[in-house]
Amino acid sequence: MYNLPALRYGALMGLLVTAPLMALLYLAEQVFDLPFVPFDFFDWLARVLPGDIITRVIDTMVEFIDRFDLGETSGTAKTLEALGALGMFLGIGIGAALVLYVVLRHFENRWQSVRLGRIPAPVLVGLLAGAVIGLPLILISQDVNVLAGAPDSVQVIWLAAVFLTWGGALGWAYDHLAVPVPVEAPAGEPVSTPGVTAEKIDRRTFLIRVGGGAATLTVLGAGIGRYLEYRDEKDYRDRIARNRDAVVPQDLPNEGAGVVAVPGTRPEYTPLEDHYRIDINVRPLELDGDSWRLRINGLVDQPLTLSLDDLRRNYDALDQYVTLACISNRIGGDLTSTTRWTGASLQTVLAGAGVQASASHLKITSADGFSETVALDMVNQDPRIMLAYNWDGIPLLHKHGFPLRIYIPDRYGMKQPKWITDIEVMDHDEDGYWVERNWDKIARMRAVSVVDVVDGGGTIERDGQMVVPIGGIAHAGARGISRVEVSVDDGEWTAAALREPLSDTTWVIWRYEWPFEAGEHTFAVRCTEKDGTPQITNSNPTKPSGATGIHRLSRTL
Ligand SMILES: Nc1nc2c(c(=O)[nH]1)N[C@H]1C(S)=C(S)[C@@H](COP(=O)(O)O)O[C@H]1N2
Ligand SMILES: [Mo]
């Protein structure tokens, strides 16, 4: 007869064994470039779950960040994703341990006498559980992990060892905890027989030791791992900072533009470190630029394999100021930014490969498993479509797609792969990563306008009237903005002044000076495209084609 409360101890031991192993996985990742399975599992889930569920999760997260003012959306979202991934993995560890303990307890009469040599049965069952949990996770990690540089065989052996240790340790702990209770208590004795007391102390001592060890390992592993990661990041940041000194934007193309942004409007040219970032992995890919190659093949006369240097040296460099936006950006959201892109026109690069007459589409594949197609017609008509290797005058940051990404004017970010490795010329179309998940096939950027600021502190006098400067942005992909209008408290629409934009494809900064009236007011904005098409003013959610609607801001002045 054993008396281990399986649920409670299963959960507790699950925590005490899983947490330090997660810390060790992290440390091993930082030191030996081995896979960090908790993130792999999360990335895999994001790939295989139905697109609508993913969208709902993302929406909830964005709303949460917005509601509680948790800072810049895409960065905070990545932090939340990472925490979610860690929590989920810990949860799996605890849940599996719980099941293991319940099973062990249920069959305890059978295994009592079983052992293999000196290995008691719970350890054997634990090892088996480790294998059962570990095998799918190892396969998943091998499938989706693109960060780990260690040889695959080493990765698999390491992970197998980790999962077997996990199960073995749980079984070993069970064997220690499930001490037999004397079946026949001597008649008349109080409940706390000496045997039971001794067993309790034994259990407690055991738990204190295991708990102390687990806490130490977790803190040490996570701490050292984090320190190493931070050191790497710092190296990287320093390198960028050194590079940047030479290239901080001066001479912007609209220098001297008559209309000046109202203080508090988002920067017209986004500082590189503030550019939003969206991709399907918890952590960005880090490709090696020296060994990286772009392969162009399929329906071409001459397949090409190009290095980064080839792309930089052998083609004219094209500089374009671009406002990129995520199709998940909500009205007034911050998943949109502007910087200078440099690259080679895709038309020119393709010309070198000799595209065959039967070709109609390009399939662009990324190192993270992302892909999209582009119609050849579009490429042939638009020399601005380019393979970009610089942002803001320096090589793309890893998180923004180093070494190469594509630029397609007028399309949301989801159509524009980063970390490109392959371009296949095809005679048919295919759905891209997000299109397969029910987002718009074309993903043409919507016209949107936003009130960024009502500068109550900046009230000025104009012709004897106090006015409050109000400012923001308007953007319609590559179609340009001809008019921005503001309405206060649902009053008539009045034209704002437009600042000359950085280019035809960037947002336009607008400014409106509102005759001051004390009280609470609501400021609304709408815009018109260059060709006279008005912004869609009724509200649509981001999915499937990008959000539409009027942006409003209320302020008490
Ligand atoms: N390979 C790859 N490319 C990608 C993505 C991705 O997950 N993987 N995300 C896309 C999406 S949804 C957007 S909005 C833009 C964002 O680019 P940024 O992170 O550099 O701002 O990249 C696009 N290109
Ligand atoms: Mo996106």
Side-chain angles (χ1 to χ4, degrees), residues 45 77 197 203 219 225 229 340 413 417 424 427 486:
L45 269 187
T197 314
R203 229 179 235 175
V219 170
E229 191 177 8
R340 186 171 89 243
E424 189 193 343
D427 62 2
V486 176

Side-chain angles (χ1 to χ4, degrees), residues 203-534:
R203 229 179 235 175
R204 187 170 304 145
T205 324
F206 179 78
L207 281 180
I208 288 171
R209 283 198 194 133
V210 172
T216 310
L217 276 178
T218 307
V219 170
L220 274 183
I224 298 173
R226 183 62 204 137
Y227 167 74
L228 294 175
E229 191 177 8
Y230 174 80
R231 217 183 45 184
D232 280 357
E233 286 168 357
K234 192 169 175 312
D235 273 3
Y236 185 56
R237 275 198 303 272
D238 289 350
R239 235 180 27 238
I240 293 165
R242 275 199 303 279
N243 259 329
R244 267 184 69 83
D245 288 340
V247 292
V248 173
Q250 294 158 354
D251 314 323
L252 289 174
N254 62 349
E255 213 168 60
V259 177
V260 176
V262 176
T265 309
R266 71 190 72 196
E268 182 172 43
Y269 187 90
T270 313
L272 190 54
E273 52 277 20
D274 295 342
H275 198 291
Y276 87 92
R277 167 212 160 192
I278 299 284
D279 51 71
I280 55 177
N281 288 339
V282 176
R283 284 187 299 190
L285 234 60
E286 295 188 7
L287 299 182
D288 170 43
D290 294 332
S291 59
W292 174 89
R293 293 290 180 274
L294 170 68
R295 291 175 295 267
I296 302 182
N297 49 31
L299 301 172
V300 290
D301 298 332
Q302 176 64 56
L304 297 179
T305 303
L306 302 173
S307 70
L308 195 49
D309 272 351
D310 293 336
L311 283 163
R312 289 178 180 280
R313 292 209 193 110
N314 303 345
Y315 304 90
D316 287 339
L318 219 59
D319 262 326
Q320 304 189 59
Y321 287 85
V322 171
T323 295
L324 185 68
C326 181
I327 197 164
S328 295
N329 192 34
R330 310 208 293 176
I331 296 299
D334 59 4
L335 299 180
T336 175
S337 309
T338 300
T339 192
R340 186 171 89 243
W341 299 45
T342 309
S345 176
L346 183 53
Q347 279 183 359
T348 325
V349 178
L350 282 181
V355 173
Q356 294 172 1
S358 57
S360 66
H361 287 82
L362 305 177
K363 178 175 182 175
I364 301 173
T365 306
S366 304
D368 62 345
F370 188 89
S371 71
E372 250 304 343
T373 54
V374 192
L376 256 176
D377 278 348
M378 194 160 84
V379 178
N380 292 334
Q381 281 158 25
D382 193 345
R384 296 174 300 177
I385 298 178
M386 69 174 173
L387 298 174
Y389 42 72
N390 278 11
W391 261 21
D392 194 19
I394 59 170
L396 292 169
L397 303 187
H398 287 304
K399 63 181 171 181
H400 293 303
F402 178 82
L404 196 71
R405 66 185 298 163
I406 193 169
Y407 170 54
I408 306 174
D410 220 36
R411 297 292 179 267
Y412 280 116
M414 60 167 271
K415 299 295 287 186
Q416 316 198 30
K418 313 188 261 190
W419 305 295
I420 298 176
T421 55
D422 289 274
I423 299 181
E424 189 193 343
V425 183
M426 312 190 298
D427 62 2
H428 62 275
D429 196 3
E430 248 175 51
D431 286 347
Y433 185 92
W434 286 115
V435 178
E436 275 180 338
R437 289 161 178 79
N438 301 328
W439 290 82
D440 197 295
K441 171 102 182 124
I442 309 293
R444 187 169 183 249
M445 282 180 161
R446 307 275 215 178
V448 287
S449 49
V450 182
V451 188
D452 277 341
V453 62
V454 175
D455 188 16
T459 308
I460 40 176
E461 202 185 309
R462 287 264 192 250
D463 311 325
Q465 161 81 56
M466 297 308 281
V467 295
V468 177
I470 299 167
I473 51 142
H475 186 227
R479 307 187 297 282
I481 298 290
S482 60
R483 197 175 167 79
V484 170
E485 294 158 295
V486 176
S487 156
V488 185
D489 302 326
D490 291 324
E492 66 185 62
W493 291 96
T494 317
L498 302 186
R499 176 175 163 84
E500 186 191 322
L502 289 165
S503 80
D504 291 345
T505 58
T506 61
W507 54 35
V508 173
I509 301 268
W510 59 264
R511 171 185 184 104
Y512 176 67
E513 293 181 350
W514 171 67
F516 170 80
E517 271 173 55
E520 194 193 341
H521 301 284
T522 300
F523 304 86
V525 62
R526 72 179 185 193
C527 66
T528 308
E529 299 181 15
K530 270 262 164 65
D531 71 355
T533 310

Side-chain angles (χ1 to χ4, degrees), residues 137-221:
L137 285 169
I138 291 172
L139 290 175
I140 284 171
S141 169
Q142 285 293 298
D143 183 27
V144 302
N145 186 298
V146 276
L147 276 176
D152 286 351
S153 53
V154 178
Q155 294 186 21
V156 170
I157 292 170
W158 161 244
L159 291 182
V162 166
F163 286 110
L164 291 176
T165 305
W166 175 86
L170 283 169
W172 167 81
Y174 188 97
D175 191 51
H176 269 73
L177 289 164
V179 180
V181 179
V183 179
E184 306 147 89
E189 284 283 298
V191 183
S192 64
T193 60
V196 171
T197 314
E199 170 234 325
K200 273 192 177 160
I201 289 167
D202 188 46
R203 229 179 235 175
R204 187 170 304 145
T205 324
F206 179 78
L207 281 180
I208 288 171
R209 283 198 194 133
V210 172
T216 310
L217 276 178
T218 307
V219 170
L220 274 183

